[in-house]
Amino acid sequence: MGTADWTQVQGLPVARPAWVVAEMVAEGADLEHMQMIVVDAKRHRLDTEELRSRLGELGPRGVRALEALA
């Protein structure tokens, strides 16, 4: 995890939502559950372009996640 994977929220370092989702997908998280997380994250400034980019780096599972989470 690099410094670009973090942001500041109320003065605290927090992992960026796109990074969290991509990591969970990479670890095999259930895509139906991830849909709920993505919908909620979109309400809280999820960078969807960053998410697409990160999932695209995951190969076939990332492509399936992109289709399921779109």
Side-chain angles (χ1 to χ4, degrees), residues 16-69:
R16 296 174 59 84
W19 180 86
V20 173
V21 171
E23 287 295 306
M24 292 177 73
V25 167
E27 292 293 322
D30 179 72
L31 295 180
E32 286 185 37
H33 289 114
M34 296 309 302
Q35 284 177 323
M36 292 184 293
I37 291 170
V38 168
V39 167
D40 187 53
K42 283 182 180 178
R43 285 184 257 164
H44 300 282
R45 298 177 287 174
L46 172 67
D47 183 339
T48 54
E49 289 302 315
E50 178 186 359
L51 179 59
R52 282 188 188 96
S53 174
R54 288 179 181 273
L55 290 176
E57 295 171 3
L58 298 178
R61 180 154 175 82
V63 171
R64 284 193 306 275
L66 279 170
E67 292 169 356
L69 302 176

Side-chain angles (χ1 to χ4, degrees), residues 1-8 14-19 47 50 54:
M1 177 181 278
T3 57
D5 300 323
W6 295 92
T7 189
Q8 291 281 326
V14 177
R16 296 174 59 84
W19 180 86
D47 183 339
E50 178 186 359
R54 288 179 181 273

